[in-house]
Amino acid sequence: MRTATRTSLRAAGAARTPRLRSRPRRAGGAGARRGALALAVAGALALTAAGCGDSGGDKDKGGDKPAPGQSDLITHTVQLPKLNGQKLKVTAVWTGVEQKSFAKVLDEFAKRTGAEVAYVPSGDDMSAFIGSKVAGGDPPDVAMLQQPGALREFAGKGWLKPLGEEARAQLKKNFPQGWQDLGSADGKQYGVYFKTSNKSLVWYNTKIFTAAGVKVPATWPEFLRTAQAVADFGVSPVSVGGADGWTLTDWFENVYLSQAGPEKYDQLAQHKIKWTDPSVKDALTTLGQLFGKKELLAGGQEGALQAQFPTSVTQTFSGGEKAKAAMVFEGDFAAANITAAKAKIGTDAKVFPFPAVGGRSPVVTGGDVGVALKDGQAAQALLTFLASTDAAGIWAREGGFISANKNLDLASYPDDVQRSIAKALVSAGDSFRFDMSDQAPAAFGGKPGQGEWKQLQDFLRNPADVEGTQQRLESDAAKAFKN
């Protein structure tokens, strides 16, 4: 890990798994995005699935690598104040590769301002972490939240500080209105969506696909046939990180959005229909076609329940043709773990859109939003920096990162796969759907061992119990939504 002279990075707290929740919809559920992103991403990824890394991508933007001399160049598009002697505490869920990449962003901020920045991982239960710190009178200056629901909850409790003028100016300059709305509550702007994600991707091991003689599937039935063919070849087809309940909510949301459609998705996200609705039964039954077959899952159901997200990715690509699985579903942020497995994106690892269950492939997005929990110049300066292209470009060059910043040069991304995903997201403007569980109260959609996370883990263990799973989900949702 690189550590700047002015930046202290302390790894304290539970190990975190990347969730972009950057696992994206308009705050309050009022403006969920429609199908433009689905069409844009499907078109872009159709090219990368067939031969990403071979096409040259945006050659005018630098091809597979930034232009000579650009990889180490950090632009200065925003002025930051001098903060010598000021201390800043930042928390996020990121550990491992993600923490190292974020450290470079904080290093640059410290270098420019003179502030002393301490980073503390929150663990996966951000709401509980922040709640305990607020109760103890020592909240972090800045937190990176994964859930619009948590942002609204914290704002309602008076824990958050509105964005200052400089941060709002950068936000307005660089982000579409939809992303601004996601960071607001009750008419006030609180957050900057720094890290975003397309969470409707399936990454596959090209060596195993070639050896097994299978092709990229486009529909759910084709996906199941491909998985069975890989299993018959002798390799577990699908790696599932079921130890992290959020990965299972992503599985459900993609199936549900494609099968039930965007209107039903919005209604369920806001609990305007119950989890006992027939559309939920249909989605769980469909998901059970995969989860219910032990031979289709790496390690079977129990193995999937013991695998954390990073492991689910690395075991798909470590060892090439001898890897433990052929495919893993998750967002663009999986790229960081693929790289950690010493696999090359675009050659060893390629990607295709989540298979269409209904009329088209779904697109579910997510994001990590920076908010201030303390008044002060340092916190506002960091949020201003996070809203700039300067900060986004630093992490983009590291990989495993997608930004909704419309002014970020696509050459900042390290390969054509990530460039195409980022281009599709930015081109979609305000047309996208945010992760459903991230829109829910944290007690239902964002806590380990309860709500959606627990009920879908139990469903993975026993996929035949569709009706019981629905009833338990509805009971938990009614308590959390208070209706």
Side-chain angles (χ1 to χ4, degrees):
M1 180 187 302
R2 185 168 75 94
T3 305
T5 55
R6 295 186 179 94
T7 306
S8 171
L9 298 176
R10 302 194 302 268
R16 133 82 173 145
T17 55
R19 264 187 104 216
L20 250 172
R21 299 188 85 81
S22 227
R23 255 181 227 254
R25 186 194 63 191
R26 190 180 295 257
R33 318 296 184 224
R34 300 285 174 184
L37 181 57
L39 295 174
V41 171
L45 294 182
L47 298 176
T48 62
C52 59
D54 301 323
S55 64
D58 294 293
K59 292 183 179 179
D60 60 320
K61 292 287 188 178
D64 279 344
K65 296 181 179 180
Q70 292 297 308
S71 61
D72 296 323
L73 177 64
I74 301 175
T75 58
H76 287 63
T77 66
V78 60
Q79 284 191 330
L80 300 174
K82 290 300 180 183
L83 303 170
N84 298 76
Q86 295 194 36
K87 296 182 179 181
L88 190 68
K89 186 180 294 184
V90 181
T91 190
V93 294
W94 301 315
T95 60
V97 174
E98 288 188 305
Q99 180 179 331
K100 291 179 181 178
S101 296
F102 189 47
K104 295 185 179 182
V105 177
L106 298 181
D107 285 347
E108 178 65 16
F109 176 79
K111 178 181 177 181
R112 292 196 197 182
T113 63
E116 296 182 15
V117 184
Y119 174 79
V120 181
S122 65
D124 226 10
D125 194 343
M126 174 67 79
S127 293
F129 180 85
I130 295 296
S132 67
K133 295 299 182 181
V134 170
D138 186 30
D141 297 272
V142 171
M144 307 300 296
L145 309 180
Q146 306 84 51
Q147 299 168 306
L151 183 147
R152 295 191 297 273
E153 178 185 344
F154 292 179
K157 292 179 177 179
W159 292 356
L160 304 185
K161 309 302 178 184
L163 291 185
E165 182 178 353
E166 293 82 4
R168 292 198 310 272
Q170 284 294 311
L171 193 64
K172 185 175 181 179
K173 172 185 175 183
N174 294 320
F175 289 82
Q177 187 62 45
W179 288 101
Q180 297 179 48
D181 292 345
L182 277 170
S184 67
D186 297 325
K188 293 183 180 180
Q189 193 73 52
Y190 290 101
V192 173
Y193 269 89
F194 176 60
K195 188 176 190 285
T196 57
S197 178
N198 173 0
K199 302 185 74 179
S200 299
L201 307 174
V202 180
W203 299 87
Y204 67 100
N205 184 316
T206 58
K207 290 185 173 68
I208 294 177
F209 262 50
T210 298
V214 297
K215 297 181 179 180
V216 168
T219 67
W220 185 259
E222 291 176 3
F223 177 73
L224 294 177
R225 288 195 293 270
T226 298
Q228 189 63 59
V230 172
D232 293 343
F233 173 71
V235 178
S236 295
V238 182
S239 179
V240 175
D244 295 312
W246 60 264
T247 65
L248 304 183
T249 69
D250 289 351
W251 272 105
F252 172 82
E253 289 158 7
N254 277 273
V255 169
Y256 189 84
L257 177 57
S258 182
Q259 188 171 51
E263 291 186 6
K264 282 281 192 180
Y265 184 96
D266 297 342
Q267 291 170 357
L268 186 62
Q270 299 169 54
H271 202 224
K272 291 184 177 179
I273 58 174
K274 295 184 177 182
W275 284 79
T276 49
D277 189 85
S279 62
V280 177
K281 178 180 179 181
D282 291 343
L284 289 173
T285 300
T286 296
L287 194 52
Q289 294 171 350
L290 173 67
F291 287 178
K293 286 194 173 183
K294 182 178 181 179
E295 70 270 21
L296 299 186
L297 305 178
Q301 288 86 355
E302 287 305 316
L305 284 165
Q306 293 172 19
Q308 293 184 321
F309 167 73
T311 299
S312 73
V313 179
T314 56
Q315 71 181 6
T316 306
F317 297 100
S318 295
E321 190 176 332
K322 296 181 180 180
K324 294 181 179 180
M327 295 178 280
V328 62
F329 152 73
E330 254 313 333
D332 49 81
F333 47 84
N337 304 93
I338 293 171
T339 301
K342 302 189 183 307
K344 184 177 179 181
I345 295 172
T347 303
D348 304 316
K350 293 184 181 181
V351 67
F352 60 86
F354 193 95
V357 184
R360 63 175 56 173
S361 290
V363 175
V364 176
T365 60
D368 294 88
V369 57
V371 297
L373 288 102
K374 285 184 178 180
D375 288 316
Q377 189 180 22
Q380 291 295 334
L382 179 57
L383 293 175
T384 299
F385 185 56
L386 295 180
S388 72
T389 57
D390 301 14
I394 295 170
W395 196 336
R397 284 187 288 273
E398 299 300 311
F401 173 90
I402 298 295
S403 175
N405 189 316
K406 61 186 179 182
N407 293 317
L408 178 63
D409 190 342
L410 292 176
S412 300
Y413 295 98
D415 56 68
D416 281 340
V417 174
Q418 292 172 84
R419 245 189 308 279
S420 66
I421 296 170
K423 184 177 181 179
L425 180 65
V426 171
S427 297
D430 292 338
S431 298
F432 58 85
R433 276 296 188 286
F434 204 93
D435 181 289
M436 184 187 295
S437 61
D438 285 347
Q439 300 177 55
F444 179 64
K447 283 182 175 288
Q450 66 185 69
E452 269 193 274
W453 293 21
K454 179 182 187 301
Q455 302 309 339
L456 290 177
Q457 285 175 322
D458 289 346
F459 175 71
L460 173 58
R461 185 174 288 109
N462 182 18
D465 188 18
V466 173
E467 183 177 344
T469 300
Q470 284 185 267
Q471 291 174 348
R472 290 187 291 273
L473 283 166
E474 174 55 29
S475 176
D476 290 346
K479 293 176 184 176
F481 280 91
K482 297 181 170 55
N483 60 13

